[in-house]
Amino acid sequence: MKKVIMGNHAVSYGVRASDVKVISAYPITPQTQVVELLSEMCANGELDAKFIAVESEHSALTACVGASAAGSRTFTATSSQGLLLMHEIIHWAVGARLPIVMSNVNRAVGPPWSIWTDQNDSLSQRDTGWLQIYCESNQEVQDTIVQAFKIAETVMLPVMIVLDAFFLSHTFEIVDILEPEAVRPFLPPYRPARKIDTADPHSFGNLAGPGEYFELRYMIEKAMEDSRAVIERTDREFEERFGRGYGIVKPYRCDDADYVLVTSGTVASTTRAVVDAMRAEGIKIGSLKVRVFRPFPFDEVREVLSKAKKVGVIDRNISFGHHGIFYQEVKSALYGRTNVPVTGFITGLGGRDVTPAVIRGIAEKLIAGTNLEPDINWIGVKI
Amino acid sequence: MGEKITFKSYKEMPICAMSGADMTYNLTGSWRNVRPYYDFKVSPCRLGCPAMENIQRYIFLLTQEKYEEAWRELMEANPMPSVTGRVCFHPCMEKCTRKDFDQAINIPAIERSIGDRGLDNPGWMKKAPATKKETVAVVGGGPAGLSAAYYLARRGYPVTIFEADAVLGGTLRWGIPEYRLPNDVLDRVVAQIVGSGPITVKTGAALGRDVDLAKLEKEFAAVFVGVGLSRSRPLGVAGEEGRGIERGLDFLRRVNGGEPVNPGRSVAVVGGGNTAMDVARCARRAGAEVTVVYRRTMNEMPAIKDEIEEAEHEGVRFRFLAAPKSIERGASGPLTVVFQQMKLGDPDESGRRRPVPDGDATFTLSVNTMFTAIGEEADAAPFGKLLECDGNLIATKGEWGETSRKKIFAGGDVATGAASVVEAVAAGRKAAERISRMLSGEPEPAAEETGTISIENINTAYFTKGKRLLVPRIPLDEALAGYREIHTGYDDRMLRREADRCFSCGVCNFCDNCWVFCPDVAVRRLEAEYEFDYDFCKGCLVCVIECPRCAISTREEGK
Amino acid sequence: MNAPKIPLPELMTSGHLACQGCGATQAMRFALKALGPRTALVLPACCWSVIDGPFPHSSLKVPILHTAFEAAASTASGLKAGLEMRGDTETVVMAWAGDGGTFDIGIQALSGAAERNEDIIYCCYDNEAYMNTGIQRSSSTPIGAWTTTTPGVHWKKRPKKKMIDIMAAHSIPYIATASVAYPNDLIEKFRKAREIKGTRFLHVFAPCPTGWKLAPELSVSMARQAVTSKVFPLVEVTDNGRTWKVWKDFEPTPVKDYCMAQGRFRHLSEDELRLVAEGIEENWQYLLSREAGSAFVPGLQH
Ligand SMILES: Cc1cc2nc3c(=O)[nH]c(=O)nc-3n(C[C@H](O)[C@H](O)[C@H](O)COP(=O)(O)OP(=O)(O)OC[C@H]3O[C@@H](n4cnc5c(N)ncnc54)[C@H](O)[C@@H]3O)c2cc1C
Ligand SMILES: Cc1ncc(C[n+]2csc(CCOP(=O)(O)OP(=O)(O)O)c2C)c(N)n1
Ligand code: SF4
Ligand code: SF4
Ligand code: SF4
Ligand SMILES: [Mg+2]
């Protein structure tokens, strides 16, 4: 069944399709509709889940930790300040190896208060051990939620699905709604090997000395590494069943491109339009959307970018005192492998529109190579 | 004890921190500086009891409703609890720890209940067979002799009791009146003792008259002499022999023999001991106004405190610091007795202050009868030639009743002078034990551990203050109307209630506290005891403090 | 031997890492004896996260989910929901937190859970400071006490937070205080709590010899004296916060004796001690008034 729905509701439909058992979330603009629709679904029986209407995001995620440790499939949704409030438990979920899935609507962080999009909230969680997948369409959002549970429960790490505030969260698009019955063969009920069970009591998460902690961390990284194949396989399987696949990265007209713009989120769609326009003018340009940010797709990025002459990375975020975060990551992927020059562009913070004109400006700046700062180029900032 | 899990590779580990075993690999006993250990003490009451009754234990058994076992425990130390439970001066209660909390446990009342239960359950006493060939002679059938006979017979020695009187009991029968110790109780006690083993009783057999000590020494493997004190001390005042003046003991003997007595309206009793009290009280029962005249003060009276109180309660009047000086009597009618007023001087050998005349002060009393009760003494004639004496008393060494003759032992009043039933009982038992060891060649027992405790060692938080439960009694008018026993004894509920007051000083009574409060689960609760698990005990000593009764002691590690 | 007054089965093993004489450990042992093996625990950061023992070992024979310091009630809410959705409706979920994790950092999650009336037992074992981190004040630290963050002349000047009132204000079905010095009462209360649905809050007084500068052997006596000196009254609040019951059947003991046995109060002058005692008496009178007022609270009459 197809429906025209907003991005936030696409999240809710993905959760519905995944037969989630415990949901705990706390409202925050621009994620609120996720929570509202899920409560509605729980209330009307569309979804056989317990909805715990907690008093904070911190509690939302800890409730998920509890429920997941009990052996139930769990979900939460948040954004920005809420995500930051969760931070301690973001780590906890990883160390506890709980396959929690969360959607985060990218929203700028205060102060000043801003409800508009940028990626600093989710990217500030990049080192926690969560898988992060950045989506660009409502369909992708819904489908990725379903994929995320399968991935998470295979590698026993939590997964964060990220979507841009308003540009996606509040944008209505046609979505082919996944029905739980159809999804079930793809995503069977969650049956964990370890759980809180009075018939088989164990203590989870107690003190570990230096003699053991290190190995536990090693295993998290190993699971991250293993997850690359799992993500790919899951996406393939999903595509086989439902006819839609998204890949780990999405290269667009890169095969013969001299210039490649690296993007993520909804900027990726805009960029593809710009690429098409510039290609029509004979400029050999392409774009690379990074969909899976954690684990970082080193091989895929390298493979695409090493053929280019110039690479520009568009970051809707900033690591203060360093550079744009995707820029850093792309550079580190290429370091020592290729000499293709990489330039960072920061734009669109706090919801400033990243229009085709902005992207075209970036592309032209990159191609021209004049007035180009080596690392950070602020695009559109009123200097 | 558990094993410590160690991982050689991450591959052996679960993916998250998840326990696979308990903590018992971790022997926290190594943290300990001081170790607790179960160390049962001797309860103070036991140390206070001349017979060393294991009071704590029989009370504990009562709380477990193990009546027969309680009785057995008691009979180990005292063969006549029904008697002592009624007449004992209970020094145990002086020592009772509970005295320093609220009021001492009513130990004699409990003892009496147990003893009476033993009398009511004749089946409990299984007659001991004669298993030994050595025979023992016991001379005197008072508490000392009966006790010696009992403990010898229980060990299988055939015993012959030689008693001058026609019946056994001694002072219990002829001295102590029925309102304190009914004859029928005494009869049953005596019967129980005599029936407890190979005991032959020869009454009307007086030492020195019918039997000879030297002969007994030859015929028997051992002899125990417990003939008590048979003579009243004279006043030493002119005119004390004659109308209107009677020896207290003689009066009691008549009363106890059931003879009607009529001492007249006005009676004086001279003396301050138990005899004086009983004489006074019997005289009250015969309808007299009674004044006890004592040469010292109330504080120095040798009578049992309870008896003084009872006498007062029954209307006996007291005059202290006075002694008869002269007696004037006509042909008939009341006597006039002149008393010298006394005052207290320097202490004498008993530690009490000696009464000395207070100048010329005197007063007179006009009485129908004056009873003398200033003490009894032994008649040394029957044994004086053979045994070393201390005055009229038989000289004994140490606590086992040994005399100057190897085979002859002595105990009770004849060895100590006027004392008490329980001391006579203790002496009889100890002599029996010594005789038995002598005859069987058993070694001397190791000196008993007498580590004890006091109120400071009791965790009083576990006890609520209350009062000693008094033994119910008949009303005063009924008591004075005859010789009915005054105290009627506890019923089962009262017995249990009083028994429950006992702290069980220094001895575990399975209250579980140590087990309950150990933060380290290092106290094992076994079938019939607790055990410290020193692998894990951290030595916090919470158990030591929370043991309400100080049954746990501590020792520094490595010492 | 007599039948034991407290249940025999042990759900806590020896070898745990608590200090000598630790009241928190006794509290746990008694609570689990009352609740039995079908109990799952949530442990936020507190001494108990250490006492449990290091991975891969545990001193408890019930499942434990360790969680973040402030997250006991929310984790427990989730755990209960997760168990139920997995088909396990029988397991009792108990959040077990220190006073810091309850009165301070965890109060938000606790309030949330209580307001939702989550079907959990929340037990605060109260050692009156942050002991895990080395004796810092909490809002449960009593007036007068020394801690490493209330040192010298800056001993704590503010009274202990009235946690029971706060919980009663949430209209939850069962609230009780208990003390390790009264194990039978404690066990009875946990048993009672076990049979009730909804949020049940138990506040257990658990002396900490280390943090109170107290001889370890005195830990239980201190707990007892806390009750008899009215420092820590035993209270039960039922009927969704309406009915208060205060236990009074004890021989009162002086607050001064209680304080002077503990190094943390030893700096107090006579005058200061008197003030402390007055505060305690005031709180006692307040509790009695709550108890007396129980019958008149509107809503009871329906
Ligand atoms: C009136 C009175 C009241 C007392 N009240 C108490 C009391 O309440 N509580 C208490 O503890 N104590 C009391 N006493 C003391 C107590 O009775 C004695 O200390 C105790 O009875 C001593 O026991 P015994 O066996 O040594 O001597 P006795 O009881 O005197 O027994 C000696 C026995 O030996 C017999 N005998 C004597 N001479 C001979 C002989 N030559 N040959 C064979 N047999 C002989 C006697 O007939 C008697 O049976 C009281 C004493 C008196 C006199
Ligand atoms: C968010 C956070 N802040 C601080 C800490 C450090 N910390 C761990 S336990 C603790 C104190 C615990 O106090 P309490 O809850 O009273 O338990 P106790 O240790 O006294 O048993 C603190 C401050 C932490 N673990 N997490
Ligand atoms: S309380 Fe009991 S054990 Fe202790 S002294 Fe008194 S009678 Fe003996
Ligand atoms: S605490 Fe109780 S059980 Fe333990 S030794 Fe003392 S009396 Fe016995
Ligand atoms: S309470 Fe336990 S740990 Fe402490 S001393 Fe006693 S047995 Fe040892
Ligand atoms: Mg604390």
Side-chain angles (χ1 to χ4, degrees):
Chain A
M1 192 200 13
K2 292 200 163 127
K3 274 189 172 177
V4 179
I5 57 172
M6 69 197 303
N8 279 339
H9 286 174
V11 172
S12 310
Y13 276 101
V15 171
R16 169 179 165 273
S18 304
D19 193 19
V20 168
K21 290 299 177 197
V22 178
I23 300 161
S24 186
Y26 192 79
I28 180 169
T29 306
Q31 152 272 33
T32 313
Q33 293 78 14
V34 178
V35 180
E36 287 172 350
L37 184 56
L38 285 173
S39 325
E40 182 74 35
M41 285 170 168
C42 289
N44 67 22
E46 221 177 312
L47 182 53
D48 176 25
K50 266 208 159 68
F51 187 94
I52 310 177
V54 285
E55 83 301 330
S56 73
E57 285 87 354
H58 192 283
S59 289
L61 188 54
T62 38
C64 288
V65 164
S68 185
S72 283
R73 186 170 288 158
T74 58
F75 176 81
T76 187
T78 190
S79 176
S80 178
Q81 311 293 138
L83 182 69
L84 300 183
L85 184 56
M86 287 177 174
H87 180 69
E88 184 191 23
I89 311 305
I90 295 271
H91 281 279
W92 203 276
V94 174
R97 304 298 298 270
L98 298 172
I100 299 165
V101 172
M102 167 201 299
S103 68
N104 180 66
V105 177
N106 268 152
R107 164 182 154 180
V109 173
W113 285 118
S114 164
I115 55 168
W116 292 279
T117 199
D118 78 29
Q119 298 170 321
N120 255 60
D121 59 351
S122 58
L123 288 176
S124 70
Q125 307 302 314
R126 67 178 169 172
D127 297 333
T128 56
W130 282 63
L131 280 66
Q132 287 196 357
I133 305 178
Y134 288 76
C135 297
E136 60 169 311
S137 74
N138 291 357
Q139 185 70 58
E140 184 184 3
V141 165
Q142 181 208 240
D143 295 352
T144 305
I145 296 272
V146 173
Q147 290 189 3
F149 278 110
K150 194 171 171 91
I151 297 162
E153 289 165 15
T154 310
V155 301
M156 295 308 279
L157 285 174
V159 180
M160 188 186 299
I161 313 299
V162 187
L163 55 152
D164 290 343
F166 300 106
F167 297 120
L168 207 52
S169 67
H170 285 64
T171 301
F172 282 73
E173 291 180 344
I174 299 170
V175 174
D176 192 349
I177 304 290
L178 286 168
E179 290 305 327
E181 303 74 52
V183 169
R184 199 159 297 128
F186 171 78
L187 178 66
Y190 178 45
R191 300 252 181 278
R194 287 164 298 271
K195 56 181 178 294
I196 293 287
D197 183 359
T198 48
D200 179 24
H202 298 279
S203 177
F204 290 89
N206 50 351
L207 204 70
E212 289 80 23
Y213 188 90
F214 204 8
E215 282 68 27
L216 292 167
R217 285 305 178 261
Y218 171 78
M219 283 190 275
I220 292 172
E221 175 53 20
K222 218 174 151 299
M224 263 289 180
E225 291 305 320
D226 293 348
S227 71
R228 295 172 197 284
V230 175
I231 296 166
E232 215 178 322
R233 193 175 67 225
T234 306
D235 190 48
R236 211 182 319 116
E237 246 183 76
F238 188 88
E239 188 168 7
E240 280 160 17
R241 246 173 226 282
F242 303 105
R244 296 182 295 273
Y246 302 93
I248 288 183
V249 295
K250 187 168 173 184
Y252 185 67
R253 302 181 85 164
C254 286
D255 287 349
D256 63 340
D258 291 335
Y259 316 106
V260 177
L261 292 177
V262 180
T263 62
S264 58
T266 51
V267 174
S269 325
T270 318
T271 305
R272 278 199 300 276
V274 173
V275 165
D276 286 343
M278 291 178 79
R279 278 274 179 181
E281 295 165 20
I283 303 166
K284 289 170 93 180
I285 190 166
S287 72
L288 176 68
K289 166 187 146 184
V290 176
R291 176 173 176 258
V292 176
F293 176 72
R294 279 290 180 272
F296 194 77
F298 288 106
D299 290 347
E300 292 79 354
V301 166
R302 255 179 231 138
E303 196 193 312
V304 174
L305 298 187
S306 51
K307 290 177 285 181
K309 292 204 176 77
K310 279 184 179 179
V311 172
V313 183
I314 303 177
D315 270 300
R316 201 170 208 161
N317 63 75
I318 172 137
S319 168
F320 295 114
H322 204 290
H323 310 132
I325 291 168
F326 279 83
Y327 168 69
Q328 296 170 12
E329 304 254 343
V330 167
K331 258 199 332 183
S332 82
L334 300 181
Y335 180 80
R337 314 280 174 132
T338 161
N339 286 325
V340 56
V342 185
T343 307
F345 298 90
I346 290 183
T347 190
L349 299 189
R352 180 85 53 94
D353 248 358
V354 184
T355 59
V358 169
I359 293 170
R360 185 162 185 127
I362 291 171
E364 284 167 355
K365 223 171 142 83
L366 176 74
I367 294 163
T370 47
N371 280 338
L372 213 52
E373 295 294 329
D375 296 309
I376 300 190
N377 292 277
W378 292 84
I379 303 301
V381 72
K382 295 162 195 154
I383 296 171
Chain B
M1 235 178 291
E3 289 277 305
K4 172 145 178 61
I5 300 178
T6 44
F7 303 111
K8 285 193 278 304
S9 153
Y10 79 88
K11 291 181 189 123
E12 298 167 3
M13 292 168 76
I15 61 167
C16 59
M18 176 178 116
S19 66
D22 66 25
M23 282 297 289
T24 54
Y25 76 87
N26 186 34
L27 303 185
T28 52
S30 63
W31 303 16
R32 187 178 58 238
N33 306 318
V34 186
R35 107 176 6 212
Y37 63 98
Y38 291 104
D39 174 27
F40 302 161
K41 324 287 189 304
V42 180
S43 316
C45 50
R46 185 174 194 189
L47 294 177
C49 172
M52 284 285 279
E53 283 179 9
N54 198 341
I55 296 162
Q56 170 279 327
R57 176 136 189 95
Y58 63 68
I59 295 184
F60 164 69
L61 290 166
L62 284 183
T63 62
Q64 307 281 299
E65 290 174 0
K66 293 179 178 157
Y67 295 105
E68 186 176 344
E69 275 184 56
W71 176 78
R72 285 193 192 290
E73 181 64 53
L74 177 47
M75 295 289 282
E76 283 296 310
N78 174 359
M80 50 183 76
S82 289
V83 173
T84 48
R86 285 172 166 83
V87 307
C88 188
F89 70 113
H90 46 73
C92 53
M93 282 173 72
E94 274 317 299
K95 288 279 167 68
C96 175
T97 319
R98 184 120 198 173
K99 180 170 154 258
D100 299 319
F101 179 63
D102 48 10
Q103 291 184 332
I105 302 294
N106 200 336
I107 297 168
I110 291 173
E111 186 182 49
R112 165 185 169 155
S113 297
I114 300 176
D116 287 0
R117 221 173 244 268
L119 297 178
D120 293 342
N121 289 281
W124 288 0
M125 177 61 84
K126 312 244 173 358
K127 185 171 176 161
T131 54
K132 306 272 168 43
K133 55 182 192 321
E134 298 91 346
T135 57
V136 182
V138 169
V139 187
L146 288 170
S147 173
Y150 176 80
Y151 292 105
L152 285 162
R154 296 304 286 171
R155 286 174 169 75
Y157 294 99
V159 176
T160 306
I161 300 177
F162 298 92
E163 165 59 53
D165 238 309
V167 281
L168 297 176
T171 310
L172 304 180
R173 185 170 302 280
W174 302 114
I176 301 176
E178 282 210 78
Y179 55 78
R180 294 207 282 136
L181 176 60
N183 277 342
D184 103 86
V185 173
L186 180 60
D187 288 344
R188 292 203 289 159
V189 167
V190 169
Q192 189 176 55
I193 291 173
V194 170
S196 70
I199 296 177
T200 310
V201 179
K202 298 222 160 110
T203 49
L207 190 72
R209 185 186 69 199
D210 312 304
V211 279
D212 176 58
L213 189 56
K215 252 182 90 188
L216 292 181
E217 191 188 20
K218 257 187 233 115
E219 283 167 22
F220 291 86
V223 182
F224 175 81
V225 181
V227 292
L229 310 175
S230 45
R231 292 204 310 227
S232 295
R233 274 208 195 101
L235 268 184
V237 176
E240 72 175 287
E241 307 290 332
R243 180 181 68 80
I245 299 198
E246 186 174 5
R247 302 238 158 101
L249 264 192
D250 295 343
F251 174 66
L252 288 177
R253 186 172 267 269
R254 290 197 291 130
V255 171
N256 288 330
E259 194 181 305
V261 289
N262 183 15
R265 268 200 56 74
S266 170
V267 163
V269 181
V270 179
N274 288 327
T275 308
M277 294 308 103
D278 279 333
V279 168
R281 295 172 68 189
C282 287
R284 284 290 293 144
R285 282 167 176 70
E289 292 296 321
V290 182
T291 305
V292 169
V293 184
Y294 180 50
R295 56 190 180 136
R296 306 190 221 217
T297 70
M298 173 87 90
N299 291 333
E300 287 81 33
M301 283 178 73
I304 299 172
K305 283 271 162 309
D306 300 352
E307 297 312 306
I308 302 171
E309 280 163 24
E310 290 289 340
E312 280 187 308
H313 179 65
E314 291 178 358
V316 172
R317 285 190 299 262
F318 288 86
R319 293 216 54 163
F320 296 107
L321 293 168
K325 193 175 179 193
S326 60
I327 299 155
E328 291 157 29
R329 61 162 79 74
S332 64
L335 319 176
T336 303
V337 186
V338 179
F339 290 89
Q340 163 74 48
Q341 204 73 60
M342 312 294 275
K343 65 178 182 193
L344 292 182
D346 298 333
D348 64 9
E349 64 276 8
S350 74
R352 296 178 301 170
R353 289 173 70 189
R354 191 192 305 274
V356 293
D358 186 7
D360 298 331
T362 58
F363 64 90
T364 56
L365 287 180
S366 169
V367 296
N368 298 103
T369 307
M370 181 166 87
F371 293 110
T372 62
I374 60 162
E376 294 84 34
E377 44 187 32
D379 173 8
F383 49 77
K385 278 187 287 284
L386 198 59
L387 300 177
E388 251 172 49
C389 288
D390 179 2
N392 286 337
L393 305 176
I394 301 177
T396 53
K397 299 170 277 200
E399 55 176 324
W400 304 107
E402 290 154 297
T403 67
S404 53
R405 308 285 301 176
K406 199 166 172 290
K407 285 172 68 181
I408 303 178
F409 295 77
D413 280 2
V414 75
T416 57
S420 65
V421 177
V422 67
E423 287 162 284
V425 159
R429 193 191 77 220
K430 285 187 178 163
E433 286 168 3
R434 187 48 175 262
I435 290 168
S436 167
R437 282 200 294 276
M438 178 181 84
L439 299 181
S440 66
E442 279 166 41
E444 287 295 309
E448 259 187 69
E449 187 57 65
T450 52
T452 188
I453 67 150
S454 65
I455 187 71
E456 289 74 41
N457 307 111
I458 294 287
N459 190 337
T460 52
Y462 289 101
F463 305 99
T464 33
K465 286 202 166 125
K467 280 190 168 164
R468 165 166 61 249
L469 189 59
L470 297 175
V471 179
R473 54 191 299 151
I474 60 173
L476 181 60
D477 51 345
E478 283 177 36
L480 286 178
Y483 293 88
R484 242 178 78 202
E485 185 172 23
I486 297 169
H487 292 105
T488 54
Y490 284 161
D491 61 22
D492 282 1
R493 197 182 47 83
M494 297 164 103
L495 174 61
R496 182 59 203 269
R497 218 184 95 187
E498 188 63 8
D500 280 340
R501 289 182 66 231
C502 174
F503 288 159
S504 186
C505 300
V507 185
C508 176
N509 70 353
F510 308 115
C511 75
D512 272 349
N513 272 9
C514 48
W515 169 70
V516 166
F517 286 112
C518 176
D520 289 283
V521 206
V523 175
R524 306 265 168 265
R525 191 183 195 273
L526 307 178
E527 200 51 50
E529 58 178 342
Y530 305 86
E531 198 177 84
F532 286 110
D533 189 337
Y534 294 114
D535 280 343
F536 297 109
C537 164
K538 290 174 185 160
C540 69
L541 308 186
V542 163
C543 53
V544 176
I545 299 291
E546 295 316 314
C547 174
R549 45 197 54 84
C550 195
I552 306 172
S553 297
T554 59
R555 183 161 56 226
E556 263 185 63
E557 281 301 340
K559 293 224 170 116
Chain C
M1 215 177 274
N2 302 328
K5 287 185 282 293
I6 74 169
L8 280 176
E10 300 288 357
L11 291 168
M12 186 181 93
T13 72
S14 302
H16 59 68
L17 298 185
C19 301
Q20 291 157 320
C22 172
T25 315
Q26 294 163 323
M28 177 67 87
R29 181 165 168 246
F30 299 152
L32 288 183
K33 276 174 180 283
L35 298 177
R38 298 227 51 182
T39 306
L41 285 185
V42 171
L43 277 185
C46 57
C47 277
W48 249 105
S49 17
V50 178
I51 298 171
D52 184 31
F55 164 71
H57 294 270
S58 168
S59 53
L60 298 183
K61 295 185 197 161
V62 295
I64 306 172
L65 183 57
H66 289 262
T67 191
F69 190 17
E70 59 292 317
S74 46
T75 310
S77 306
L79 179 58
K80 180 67 190 176
L83 288 172
E84 273 190 5
M85 291 310 290
R86 215 191 70 212
D88 175 356
T89 51
E90 207 186 300
T91 293
V92 171
V93 172
M94 172 161 70
W96 182 271
D99 48 295
T102 304
F103 287 57
D104 293 341
I105 199 166
I107 196 168
Q108 170 179 330
L110 170 58
S111 175
E115 184 275 331
R116 297 190 301 274
N117 201 21
E118 293 286 351
D119 191 18
I120 57 170
I121 295 179
Y122 187 105
C123 175
C124 169
Y125 71 93
D126 188 358
N127 51 25
E128 302 194 315
Y130 301 165
M131 296 311 182
N132 171 298
T133 39
I135 327 170
Q136 295 83 26
R137 60 101 76 193
S138 77
S139 56
S140 171
T141 302
I143 189 166
W146 162 93
T147 66
T148 57
T149 50
T150 50
V153 295
H154 291 143
W155 47 265
K156 196 171 176 231
K157 302 291 192 313
R158 296 280 300 150
K160 192 180 175 94
K161 198 185 269 182
K162 284 193 170 74
M163 198 63 201
I164 293 300
D165 283 71
I166 294 173
M167 295 317 294
H170 285 76
S171 306
I172 53 173
Y174 188 71
I175 301 165
T177 63
S179 164
V180 294
Y182 299 87
N184 296 324
D185 174 70
L186 186 153
I187 286 174
E188 199 184 302
K189 285 169 175 166
F190 274 85
R191 280 191 173 142
K192 210 184 266 185
R194 196 185 203 291
E195 300 312 314
I196 295 169
K197 263 201 154 322
T199 305
R200 295 139 280 169
F201 182 79
L202 287 127
H203 183 192
V204 179
F205 194 77
C208 167
T210 314
W212 296 4
K213 298 186 175 176
L214 171 73
E217 66 267 29
L218 293 181
S219 73
V220 173
S221 358
M222 272 311 113
R224 182 165 45 240
Q225 282 188 51
V227 172
T228 55
S229 61
K230 304 172 182 172
V231 165
F232 190 86
L234 296 182
V235 177
E236 247 180 327
V237 184
T238 50
D239 199 19
N240 294 329
R242 295 188 190 100
T243 308
W244 289 56
K245 213 171 80 197
V246 184
W247 186 61
K248 304 177 216 63
D249 187 19
F250 54 82
E251 283 272 331
T253 57
V255 173
K256 189 179 165 187
D257 292 2
Y258 170 76
C259 290
M260 286 299 102
Q262 304 172 36
R264 62 173 174 158
F265 292 116
R266 228 165 267 150
H267 53 85
L268 295 176
S269 68
E270 283 290 329
D271 280 352
E272 288 159 354
L273 270 171
R274 214 185 37 253
L275 284 176
V276 168
E278 276 168 22
I280 281 158
E281 183 56 31
E282 189 185 312
N283 183 54
W284 176 257
Q285 292 305 332
Y286 165 73
L287 287 175
L288 294 186
S289 75
R290 296 275 341 214
E291 182 180 53
S294 296
F296 306 107
V297 174
L300 227 194
Q301 280 76 16
H302 56 237

